[in-house]
């Protein structure tokens, strides 16, 4: 805030004339209603007040409610009266017995300050900067008083510590002012823009209080005290929407969460908003630390010309809302309309953002101060600064008079002629016409300077011809272009593109996004045409684009990386599941730019993803951060693998191995995180533990949406059972609990001894005894696919030896076959195939092949080296051992490879429940090519033949269903 020296004059100096062009008498009834002492005190200025009250009914009501304050305006300086109001707020914060008393004191102080400030302004005792500084000081005092009182009352209930410092009643809690309040320029009837954060390290609360619950309630209570309308009115309307992601975050978040948001998701308009931030109430030391950390976000070291487009987009959005685009005084918005206050603010903020990273002289929050600094650095010419500064003061002064009339948060010049005449008188003009001429001239000057700084529009063209997306109907040339590109309904396609260009979907609500969309629209339609099915590509892209939560980031990437557009259109056309992932998480487009993304999976160095994940987790500050980082990295790697399956650069086996390697690395990393968290709470690990992978994970045959079948085995002292039970719970949570970044995996632990009825972690002794003596045949079949995922010490070797012994025990072949056949029948009854494309459950499908391999392994493991976790390798081992003839091995392995390939492609592109009628022709062709076919119907016929043959092998080797 700027301190301005104030003349030692009362708020209402004697001898003030009536407002220009006005005769006293219209508000005589207001004067007459005042107490005798007040009437006597204001007698020297009664004509002036009569005309003021007639033009500003709100001030008349204030005078009737606060006659003593009105009378004091004749004797006291406005500074003295404002100081008294602020002192009353301090007293209320320290001593108000309850919320009702606090709220009443807040509203009385606001009423007094409003009356004093308006009269000092209209009387010419204060200029516009003194008025805005006074309103800001009052708002700061009200906020401090409300925070102090609410914390003090919480302390009386034992929910906060006793207040030791009234200026910092709850250490760690920070209330930051942004907008006009942040710069010390608060409007007469403005909302106050606040951001509430807390420094977790500085925060002090009783042990019974959870910050994430208590602090939002505290902030909501403070806001309620300020803005709820009571019989005494309100103190200040509060706007908390400048905090990070206000639709998804509580009203107060940690400073770490805020910084993480701005570092990863902060936008240019937010940088501009935070130029104006300062501490208003709470822990000012913590606030200083937080704002220091924010500086690199606000002020970029490199010249940030991209900010120009962003801010210009916001300006055009403001100018094109309804009638605000016109320049005529009646109904014009003095703040947001063309030539208004916002244009001057943008005029100053753009060079600030561009040059402020390297020149600290321009890092000043208030608009007038910023213009002066830009003049001194030579960034803006002196005559322009002088013109804009004078016009800014006039606009702010007129804005205040609009608000004085009825205490409304409006900046709009009234449409009604009489109301506009009242405003003219309050603004010091003899006539409405003179006022309107001054307003129009001011707006034209401002908009002229603003327009000199920015120029709009760029032409659009497709490779096929003209593509104009603006206007109310398509041009003939544009229709011809779309027809040439192969769209069957060009008018409908144009209508969709026109709607996007006009911001009719969420992704292009900002003008920045619309500008970017206009820039890339031609290449998008060209890429759609290049797929060979532009109508389907348009439909898929629309489903993706219209579900984006925000559009600037993905549109910027597409604009800067032309090749990315082709890949994106291809993915969207072929794979609705990946398209849905992209729509939910547009940041996945960033992953496509990573050089590792397009490296074929079979060329990845060993432990490639493990290294990527380890490096990322090395930057995690805590357990929660580690969970979120793991989810982001897994999502990106899953997307990478799916894209390579789609582009046919990865085979089914390669993809299954890649999905499994990703799961291995993630399980190991989350096990370490869960171990650290368990040790932090319950002490060091009392022994040793390993994680056993089963099912598709054990066989390295995972698909995009596979569950993880795992078992936790431990060995240790008498406390180990409890400790590893807690560890297991944390591991499952680390893998499957939804965080802000989603989930990692669904975890299935039902293959452990005794299934759901047993403990989640199994001791080595129990593992050793269970499988040789108690396990069912189906459990032994599942064990054939077991392998160690995490853990490499003596326990890992003991577990491997244990399940090897259990699997190699001699078994009676007939009994194993009967048990396996019985289990296959139960599966067929409980989970019959959902469609012909359910290649897992259909007779002759994956389950039949897996049953053949696992059953024969159990029968022959005591005599032959046939134990392999991978189904493919197990079949080959059975062939090499002479257990399966070569023709059956060939049939089973080729069919397994085809079925896995089909399922991998379907799962990554469509998920489960595939319906070929919903697939694009391009996807259907790609699917058919896996079987060497040209049509999907031919692929299904080939699968049918193979599956009939496989089921015959099943019946020969195990038994008839």
């Amino acid at each position: 805030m700027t301190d301005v020296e104030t003349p030692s004059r009362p708020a209402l100096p004697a001898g003030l004339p009536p407002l220009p062009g006005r005769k006293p008498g219209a508000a005589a009834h207001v004067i007459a209603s005042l107490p005798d002492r007040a009437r006597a005190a204001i007698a020297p200025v009664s004509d002036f007040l009569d005309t003021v009250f007639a033009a500003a009914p709100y001030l008349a009501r204030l005078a009737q409610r606060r006659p003593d304050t009105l009378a004091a305006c004749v004797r006291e300086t406005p500074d003295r009266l404002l100081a008294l109001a602020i002192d009353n707020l301090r007293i209320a914060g320290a001593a108000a017995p309850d919320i009702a008393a606090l709220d009443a004191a807040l509203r009385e102080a606001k009423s007094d300050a409003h009356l004093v400030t308006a009269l000092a302004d209209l009387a010419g005792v204060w200029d516009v900067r003194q008025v805005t500084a006074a309103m800001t000081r009052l708002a700061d005092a009200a906020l401090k008083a409300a925070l102090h009182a609410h914390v003090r009352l919480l302390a009386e209930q034992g929910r906060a510590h006793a207040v030791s410092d009234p200026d910092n009643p709850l250490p760690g809690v920070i209330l930051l002012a942004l907008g006009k309040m942040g710069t010390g320029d608060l409007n007469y009837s403005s909302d106050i823009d606040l951001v509430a954060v807390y420094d977790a390290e500085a925060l002090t609360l009783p042990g019974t209080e959870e910050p994430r619950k208590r602090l939002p309630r505290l902030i909501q209570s403070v806001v309620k005290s300020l803005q709820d309308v009571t019989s005494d009115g309100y103190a200040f309307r509060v706007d908390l929407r400048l905090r990070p992601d206000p639709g998804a975050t509580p009203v107060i978040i940690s400073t770490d969460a805020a910084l993480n948001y701005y570092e990863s998701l902060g936008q240019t308009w937010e940088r501009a908003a935070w130029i104006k931030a300062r501490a208003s109430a709470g822990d000012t030391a913590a606030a200083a630390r937080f704002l220091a950390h924010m500086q690199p976000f606000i002020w970029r070291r490199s010249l940030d010309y991209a900010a120009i487009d962003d801010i210009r987009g916001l300006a055009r959005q403001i100018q094109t809302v309804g009638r605000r685009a016109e320049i005529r005084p009646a109904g014009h918005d003095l703040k947001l309309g063309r030539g208004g206050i916002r244009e001057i603010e943008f005029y100053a903020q753009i060079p600030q953002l561009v040059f402020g990273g390297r020149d600290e002289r321009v890092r000043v929050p208030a608009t007038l101060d910023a213009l002066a600094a830009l003049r001194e650095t030579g960034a803006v010419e002196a005559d322009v600064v002088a013109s804009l500064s004078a016009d800014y003061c006039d606009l702010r002064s007129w804005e205040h008079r609009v608000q004085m009339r009825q205490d409304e948060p409006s900046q709009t010049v009234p449409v009604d002629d009489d109301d506009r005449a009242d405003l003219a008188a309050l603004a010091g003009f003899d006539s409405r016409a003179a006022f309107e001429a001054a307003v129009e001239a001011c707006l034209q000057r401002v908009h002229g300077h603003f327009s000199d700084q920015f120029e709009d529009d760029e032409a659009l063209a497709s490779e096929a011809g003209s593509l104009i997306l603006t206007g109310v109907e398509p041009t003939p040339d544009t229709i011809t272009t779309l027809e040439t590109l192969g769209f069957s309904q060009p008018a409908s396609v144009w209508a969709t593109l026109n709607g996007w260009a006009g911001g009719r979907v969420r992704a292009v609500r900002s003008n920045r996004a619309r500008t970017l969309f206009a820039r890339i629209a031609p290449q998008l339609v060209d890429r759609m045409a290049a797929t060979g099915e532009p109508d389907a590509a348009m439909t898929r892209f629309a489903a993706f684009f219209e579900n984006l939560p925000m559009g600037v980031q993905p549109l910027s990437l597409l604009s800067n990386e032309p090749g990315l557009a082709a890949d994106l259109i291809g993915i969207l056309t072929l794979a609705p599941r990946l398209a849905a992932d992209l729509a939910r998480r547009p940041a996945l487009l960033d992953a496509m730019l990573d050089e590792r993304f397009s490296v074929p999976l079979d060329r990845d160095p060993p432990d490639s993803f493990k290294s990527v994940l380890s490096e990322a987790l090395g930057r995690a500050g805590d357990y929660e951060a580690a969970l979120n980082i793991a989810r982001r990295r897994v999502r990106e790697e899953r997307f990478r693998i799916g894209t390579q399956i789609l582009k046919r650069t990865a085979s089914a086996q390669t993809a299954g191995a890649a999905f499994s390697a990703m799961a291995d690395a993630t399980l190991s990393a989350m096990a370490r995180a869960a171990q650290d968290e368990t040790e932090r709470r319950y002490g060091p690990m009392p022994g040793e533990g390993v994680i056993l992978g089963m099912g598709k994970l054990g066989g390295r045959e995972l698909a995009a949406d596979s569950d993880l079948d795992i078992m936790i085995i431990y060995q240790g002292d008498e406390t180990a059972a409890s400790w590893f039970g807690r560890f297991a719970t944390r591991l499952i949570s680390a893998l499957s609990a939804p965080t802000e970044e989603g989930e990692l995996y669904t975890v299935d632990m039902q293959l452990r001894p005794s299934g759901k009825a047993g403990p989640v972690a199994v001791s080595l002794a129990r593992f050793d005894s269970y499988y040789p003596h108690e396990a069912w045949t189906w459990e032994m079949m599942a064990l054939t696919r077991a392998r160690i995922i995490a853990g490499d010490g003596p326990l890992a070797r003991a577990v491997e030896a244990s399940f090897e012994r259990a699997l190699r025990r001699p078994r009676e072949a007939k009994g194993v076959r009967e048990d396996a056949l019985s289990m296959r029948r139960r599966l067929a009854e409980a989970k019959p195939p959902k469609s012909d494309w359910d290649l897992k459950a259909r007779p002759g499908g994956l389950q039949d092949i897996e049953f053949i391999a696992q059953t024969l392994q159990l029968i022959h493991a005591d005599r032959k080296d046939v134990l392999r976790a991978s189904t493919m390798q197990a079949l080959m081992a059975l062939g090499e051992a002479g257990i399966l003839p070569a023709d059956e091995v060939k049939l089973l392995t080729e069919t397994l490879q085809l079925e896995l390939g089909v399922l991998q492609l379907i799962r990554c592109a469509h998920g489960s429940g595939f319906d070929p009628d919903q697939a694009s022709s391009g996807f259907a062709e790609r699917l058919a090519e896996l079987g060497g076919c040209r049509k999907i119907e031919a692929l299904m016929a080939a699968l049918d033949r193979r599956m009939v043959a496989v089921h015959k092998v099943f019946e020969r080797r195990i038994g008839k269903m």
Side-chain angles (χ1 to χ4, degrees):
M1 279 178 281
T2 303
D3 292 326
V4 181
E5 290 188 11
T6 305
S8 298
R9 291 195 294 162
L12 288 173
L16 287 170
L19 293 178
R22 293 301 173 103
K23 292 182 179 180
H29 62 288
V30 176
I31 304 292
S33 69
L34 299 173
D36 292 344
R37 65 183 183 281
R39 272 203 318 278
I42 66 170
V45 291
S46 60
D47 287 350
F48 170 77
L49 289 175
D50 187 300
T51 55
V52 167
F53 295 155
Y58 169 65
L59 298 183
R61 294 193 297 272
L62 277 183
Q64 290 171 317
R65 288 206 334 250
R66 310 296 295 172
D68 290 342
T69 302
L70 176 66
C73 287
V74 179
R75 305 185 308 271
E76 302 287 352
T77 67
D79 286 290
R80 167 66 177 153
L81 294 174
L82 179 66
L84 288 172
I86 290 174
D87 282 342
N88 289 336
L89 289 173
R90 291 196 191 100
I91 293 168
D98 52 35
I99 300 301
L102 168 70
D103 292 355
L106 289 169
R107 283 150 184 77
E108 287 177 4
K110 183 275 185 86
S111 295
D112 287 343
H114 247 198
L115 182 58
V116 170
T117 301
L119 295 178
D121 185 357
L122 294 170
V125 175
W126 272 353
D127 64 22
V128 67
R129 299 194 74 175
Q130 290 168 303
V131 169
T132 57
M135 293 310 304
T136 306
R137 291 199 298 273
L138 180 77
D140 282 342
L143 186 59
K144 289 175 181 176
L147 180 63
H148 182 189
H150 278 281
V151 173
R152 178 171 52 78
L153 294 171
L154 283 176
E156 292 175 4
Q157 302 167 20
R159 295 177 176 176
H161 296 304
V163 175
S164 58
D165 180 359
D167 289 330
N168 183 18
L170 182 49
V173 169
I174 305 164
L175 294 178
L176 297 156
L178 279 75
K180 296 290 195 305
M181 185 176 176
T183 61
D185 287 331
L186 198 60
N187 291 339
Y188 184 75
S189 292
S190 176
D191 297 353
I192 57 176
D193 294 310
L194 299 179
V195 173
V197 293
Y198 68 92
D199 184 332
E201 293 184 3
L203 186 67
T204 59
L205 277 176
T208 57
E209 296 299 309
E210 169 58 44
R212 292 182 184 180
K213 293 180 179 179
R214 174 53 55 202
L215 295 184
R217 293 173 188 165
L218 170 63
I219 299 303
Q220 287 162 350
S221 298
V222 169
V223 170
K224 183 178 174 65
S225 283
L226 290 170
Q227 73 176 11
D228 274 11
V229 179
T230 70
S231 58
D232 297 316
Y234 69 98
F236 287 95
R237 289 174 293 266
V238 179
D239 191 339
L240 296 169
R241 293 175 298 172
L242 289 182
R243 70 185 186 274
D245 197 6
T249 55
V251 293
I252 180 170
I253 62 174
S254 71
T255 52
D256 285 344
L259 291 169
N260 286 338
Y261 168 83
Y262 290 117
E263 287 170 3
S264 58
L265 298 173
Q267 301 176 54
T268 298
W269 72 264
E270 290 172 306
R271 291 174 56 202
W274 279 90
I275 290 175
K276 302 180 178 183
R278 66 172 177 85
S280 176
D283 193 330
T284 55
R289 292 193 296 272
F290 173 70
L291 290 173
H293 286 304
M294 284 289 290
Q295 296 310 296
F297 165 68
I298 301 169
W299 309 110
R300 304 286 171 83
R301 290 290 296 170
S302 57
L303 291 181
D304 193 3
Y305 288 107
I308 296 174
D309 285 342
D310 286 345
I311 300 292
R312 189 176 73 187
L314 290 172
R316 286 204 306 271
Q317 183 181 29
I318 290 164
Q319 292 166 17
T320 55
V321 176
R323 300 183 64 83
R324 286 185 298 195
E326 303 174 7
I327 295 188
R328 61 180 186 125
H332 196 82
D333 190 318
L334 297 174
K335 178 181 179 182
L336 303 181
R338 184 170 295 181
I341 295 166
R342 184 62 59 85
E343 288 192 1
I344 301 176
E345 293 172 342
F346 283 156
Y347 193 101
Q349 285 177 338
I350 291 167
Q352 278 189 293
L353 289 172
V354 171
F355 300 114
R358 293 184 177 273
D359 193 339
E360 294 187 8
R361 291 175 296 172
V362 303
R363 297 183 186 183
V364 288
T367 299
L368 291 176
D369 294 339
L371 287 170
L374 292 166
R375 179 194 62 214
E376 294 303 316
T377 61
V380 180
E381 295 176 0
D383 60 336
V384 174
V385 170
S387 174
L388 288 175
S389 297
D391 288 335
Y392 183 78
C393 289
D394 284 342
L395 287 167
R396 293 297 304 276
S397 179
W398 298 336
E399 174 188 38
H400 290 168
R401 279 145 181 77
V402 170
Q403 296 170 351
M404 288 173 190
R405 296 188 67 253
Q406 294 292 356
D407 187 30
E408 293 175 345
S410 171
Q411 303 88 23
T412 303
V413 177
V415 175
D416 181 81
D417 289 348
D418 290 339
D419 290 342
R420 211 158 56 257
D422 288 340
L423 181 61
L426 290 169
F429 288 86
D430 292 331
S431 67
R432 189 187 73 207
F435 171 66
E436 291 174 353
V439 170
E440 186 171 351
C442 175
L443 296 172
Q444 293 285 4
R445 276 194 306 274
V446 170
H447 191 63
H449 291 305
F450 186 79
S451 298
D452 289 343
Q453 196 182 40
F454 306 112
E455 295 178 1
D456 297 335
D457 298 336
E458 58 186 72
L460 295 175
S462 159
E463 293 176 2
S466 174
L467 185 69
I468 306 300
L469 301 182
T470 55
V472 296
E473 60 183 5
T475 64
D477 287 348
T478 296
I479 290 293
T480 300
T481 297
L482 293 172
E483 287 175 340
T484 303
L485 290 170
F487 292 96
S488 63
Q489 296 181 306
S492 176
V493 171
W494 181 87
T496 300
L497 295 171
N498 172 260
W500 294 346
R504 293 176 196 158
V505 297
R506 180 170 47 185
V508 282
R509 291 277 161 78
S510 75
N511 224 310
R512 169 66 173 157
R514 291 198 290 274
T515 300
L516 287 166
F517 174 74
R519 189 179 300 162
I520 68 165
Q523 65 168 300
L524 287 177
V525 295
D526 287 341
R527 300 302 181 188
M528 291 175 192
T531 66
E533 43 184 337
D535 290 330
M538 180 67 186
T539 300
R540 300 286 192 198
F541 184 81
F544 158 73
F545 192 64
E546 292 179 357
N547 281 295
L548 283 175
M550 60 185 71
V552 170
Q553 182 187 25
L555 289 170
S556 296
L557 285 171
L558 293 172
S559 176
N560 294 322
E561 299 287 339
L564 186 62
D567 288 342
L568 174 64
I569 297 296
I571 290 169
L572 297 177
T573 304
L574 296 172
R577 185 176 189 270
L578 292 180
D581 290 342
L582 275 167
R584 282 193 301 270
R585 305 283 182 175
L588 281 171
L589 288 173
D590 282 331
M592 296 176 71
L593 299 177
D594 189 282
E595 61 180 355
R596 183 173 172 272
F597 188 84
S598 56
V599 174
L601 297 174
D602 56 8
R603 295 185 190 172
D604 276 346
D607 294 328
S608 172
F609 178 73
K610 183 177 181 180
S611 299
V612 169
L613 182 61
S614 296
E615 181 183 353
L617 289 174
R619 297 189 295 270
D622 55 29
Y623 177 67
E624 290 185 5
L627 301 194
N628 284 321
I629 288 171
R631 281 153 174 76
R632 281 196 297 273
R633 292 299 184 185
V634 166
R635 183 166 56 244
E636 291 171 358
E637 185 73 358
R638 190 178 281 134
F639 185 66
R640 174 188 178 229
I641 298 168
T643 301
Q644 294 205 22
I645 293 170
L646 202 62
K647 295 170 75 172
R648 291 171 292 189
T649 56
S651 68
Q653 282 181 285
T654 301
F659 280 127
S660 301
M662 178 179 74
D664 287 1
T666 307
L667 262 170
S668 295
M670 292 299 93
R672 285 193 297 274
Q675 178 181 337
D676 291 344
E677 187 69 5
T678 309
E679 289 183 335
R680 184 180 68 82
R681 297 191 62 180
Y682 301 107
M685 179 189 293
E688 192 180 355
V690 299
I691 299 173
L692 203 61
M694 316 276 279
K696 298 287 187 189
L697 173 62
R700 293 187 172 88
E701 296 165 0
L702 290 179
D705 56 356
S706 296
D707 297 350
L708 299 187
D709 293 301
I710 63 173
M711 187 187 306
I712 298 170
I713 305 168
Y714 68 88
Q715 186 176 36
D717 61 24
E718 66 278 1
T719 67
S722 172
W723 194 97
F724 279 97
R726 289 165 172 159
F727 164 77
T729 300
R730 273 160 185 76
L731 176 61
I732 295 169
S733 176
L735 291 166
S736 60
T739 73
E740 62 197 63
E741 292 289 344
E743 301 176 4
L744 271 175
Y745 292 99
T746 299
V747 178
D748 189 341
M749 301 188 72
Q750 295 188 67
L751 293 179
R752 69 186 187 272
S754 303
K756 291 182 180 178
V760 289
V762 182
S763 70
L764 176 62
R766 176 61 176 151
F767 185 87
D768 269 339
S769 64
Y770 181 81
Y771 282 99
H773 307 296
E774 301 177 45
W776 296 84
T777 297
W778 69 265
E779 291 178 291
M780 298 307 302
M781 291 168 65
L783 198 62
T784 62
R785 310 189 74 182
R787 65 183 176 88
I788 300 292
I789 303 294
D792 56 4
L795 179 60
R797 292 188 289 275
V799 169
E800 286 178 333
S802 178
F803 67 69
E804 284 267 344
R805 286 194 302 272
L807 288 170
R808 292 189 185 281
R809 289 180 63 250
R811 287 177 173 80
E812 195 266 316
K814 180 181 178 183
V816 172
R817 289 190 171 93
E818 288 176 351
D819 288 348
L821 184 60
S822 175
M823 173 56 65
R824 184 69 186 91
R825 286 170 177 162
R826 286 201 297 273
L827 281 174
E829 292 172 4
K831 295 181 179 180
K834 298 172 184 176
S835 72
D836 287 347
W837 291 98
D838 189 348
L839 304 186
K840 177 180 178 181
R842 274 187 62 185
L846 288 175
Q847 283 182 345
D848 276 4
I849 297 175
E850 289 168 354
F851 266 68
I852 292 168
Q854 291 166 16
T855 301
L856 294 180
Q857 283 181 95
L858 280 184
I859 291 171
H860 297 281
D862 62 323
R863 302 180 302 279
K864 303 282 187 178
D865 180 22
V866 293
L867 291 178
R868 305 287 189 278
S870 159
T871 302
M872 184 72 70
Q873 293 175 8
L875 291 170
M876 294 171 68
L878 288 167
E880 291 168 1
I883 297 166
L884 281 175
D887 60 332
E888 290 187 4
V889 172
K890 184 174 186 296
L891 169 68
L892 293 173
T893 55
E894 288 180 352
T895 305
L896 176 64
Q897 185 168 350
L898 177 58
E899 290 176 348
L900 286 175
V902 169
L903 282 179
Q904 286 283 16
L905 185 55
I906 286 175
R907 294 281 178 83
C908 88
H910 285 265
S912 57
F914 174 61
D915 180 357
D917 293 336
Q918 301 299 315
S920 68
S921 59
F923 179 80
E925 290 174 9
R926 195 155 298 193
L927 195 62
E929 287 171 2
L930 287 173
C933 306
R934 298 183 61 186
K935 299 285 186 181
I936 195 171
E937 294 80 8
L939 171 66
M940 179 51 70
L943 283 167
D944 287 343
R945 291 191 296 273
R946 283 188 167 277
M947 294 170 84
V948 167
V950 166
H951 194 63
K952 288 180 180 177
V953 175
F954 177 91
E955 291 182 332
R956 282 198 301 274
R957 299 299 169 188
I958 298 179
K960 292 191 176 183
M961 293 285 286

